[in-house]
Each structure stands twice: as C-alpha cells, then as structure tokens.
Amino acid sequence: EPEVTQTPSHQVTQMGQEVILRCVPISNHLYFYWYRQILGQKVEFLVSFYNNEISEKSEIFDDQFSVERPDGSNFTLKIRSTKLEDSAMYFCASSILSASSGNTIYFGEGSWLTVV
Amino acid sequence: AQTVTQSQPEMSVQEAETVTLSCTYDTSENNYYLFWYKQPPSRQMILVIRQEAYKQQNATENRFSVNFQKAAKSFSLKISDSQLGDTAMYFCALPIITGANNLFFGTGTRLTVYSL
C-alpha cells in the first residue's frame, strides 16, 4: 500500500539553527500538508500546498516557516531559525483531493524535532 | 467558529469488550465530512473511519462504527471486540470550512485495552 514517507525520523538541533524536514507524499496525490503535534497536545494544522503553491496556512505558520516542492516527488518544510517551542512531532500528509470533499488525508510517521 | 470536543481524556476497556469514544463538534457548514484517526504508540496517524454528514447511515469498518447524530453534532466511535492493538490515542477531526483542505482535530482520547 502506498504511504507517505518522512525523513529524518528524529532530529536534534540547536536553537537558532535551520532545519529541513523532508517528505515524499503518495505519488498520485495532489494536496500536501504539514501538521505539528507538541508532546501531549493535539495535532495542529500548519500549511497545505496545492498546484505548487500554498493554499492555506495557519497562524502557527509564520515567516520562519516555508515549504517547497523542489522536484516531482519531495515536499519539504524549512524552519529558518528554530526556537525551543518548535520542538514537536511534524507530520507530513497528502490527499488525492481536498479533505472537505471527503478525501482521506494520509499521514506519514512523523519527524520528531528536538530543539536544544 | 468550528470546534471539536472530546470530553474523555482517557478511557480503558477490557479485551473483547465494547467501548464508545465521544466527540461533539460545532460547524456552520451543512455538508461536511468527519473523521476518526488513531495514533498508536508509534505516533503515526492512521485513519480509522470517516462519515459523510449528508448520509444518515452510520459508517462501519469491521469492528469500528460510528454513531452520527447530525442534529446533536455528535460523532462517537464504537469499538467492538476490543483488541490490545487498539490501544492508542483517538482523534476526532473535521475540515474547518467547506473548501478547506485541512483538518481540525480534537484533543484526543487515550484508550487503553487491557488483557483479560
């Protein structure tokens, strides 16, 4: 069964450093997402991406965050200058069409980011 | 504003028994989809079941079924014949608004299935 894959599974970084989290969405999917889950809290939406541009973003997704689809398969999340509060599990996800049309969003296994 | 409320932070059930997890929500939309996701200790988010709001019939997937009460804005998940592998966090989710691509998650219910 096709799945969303993410790398790295765990990364430790120093505060102020740049981090890039990588994802390979399911190949025939058109919508891509990043979600975040701080330890012990609920999953929060960061950004969605469609047709090579951001379609929606949350208040969390400020100027220090950016997303890119550098080629036909990868989808990346960059955090320019990490802060302690960026420590969280970051989930990449994808769907064929939009969730509001009932399409299932498939999640990757997550990248656990620890900022020290 | 859209909200998703899961009022049971933790629940436990004995193996082979049935358990119901509650979820209430608020939305101004008339046509929407609702989802239950499972997050086992591995932390991956896995779709359990989804419900289309305009369908009166409750969705069923093997041992998992929902009790969808549209007027009451209630979307509970019933797990029959509980198995140890069902131990996980369970999140209720729905798209925030029509046309939105992202999901809004509840705070989750931690379910523990214990052996006989």
Side-chain angles (χ1 to χ4, degrees), chain A residues 20-78:
Chain A
I20 297 176
L21 305 179
R22 291 181 168 80
C23 168
V24 179
I26 295 173
S27 62
N28 63 335
H29 285 187
L30 301 178
Y31 287 83
F32 315 121
Y33 315 82
W34 284 101
Y35 285 79
R36 179 183 82 174
Q37 185 181 32
I38 295 172
L39 186 62
Q41 298 186 22
K42 67 178 181 179
V43 179
E44 300 174 294
F45 168 74
L46 291 179
V47 65
S48 62
F49 193 85
Y50 171 72
N51 199 25
N52 288 318
E53 61 183 21
I54 291 174
S55 56
E56 295 161 71
K57 61 182 180 179
S58 71
E59 292 177 352
I60 303 169
F61 194 86
D62 60 23
D63 291 343
Q64 71 159 344
F65 291 93
S66 63
V67 290
E68 194 178 35
R69 188 158 164 81
D71 53 42
S73 60
N74 291 287
F75 179 53
T76 62
L77 174 69
K78 181 192 291 186

Side-chain angles (χ1 to χ4, degrees), chain A residues 31 33 35 37 39 41-43 45 48 55-56 89 91 98-109 112, chain B residues 31-33 35 37 39 42-45 47 50 91 95 97-108:
Chain A
Y31 287 83
Y33 315 82
Y35 285 79
Q37 185 181 32
L39 186 62
Q41 298 186 22
K42 67 178 181 179
V43 179
F45 168 74
S48 62
S55 56
E56 295 161 71
M89 178 75 90
F91 290 101
S98 67
S100 62
S101 302
N103 288 273
T104 298
I105 295 182
Y106 293 87
F107 287 80
E109 294 187 345
W112 181 247
Chain B
N31 189 19
Y32 48 91
Y33 290 79
F35 303 84
Y37 278 86
Q39 187 179 41
S42 65
R43 312 270 333 250
Q44 185 174 10
M45 297 289 288
L47 177 72
R50 70 177 192 181
F91 293 96
I97 57 174
T98 299
N101 301 319
N102 63 82
L103 294 176
F104 187 81
F105 286 85
T107 52

Side-chain angles (χ1 to χ4, degrees), chain B residues 49-76:
Chain B
I49 199 166
R50 70 177 192 181
Q51 173 77 41
E52 300 171 54
Y54 63 86
K55 284 191 175 179
Q56 292 187 339
Q57 186 175 8
N58 289 323
T60 299
E61 286 287 341
N62 301 314
R63 298 182 294 107
F64 298 88
S65 61
V66 301
N67 182 6
F68 175 53
Q69 303 289 331
K70 189 174 182 181
K73 293 182 178 173
S74 170
F75 180 57
S76 60

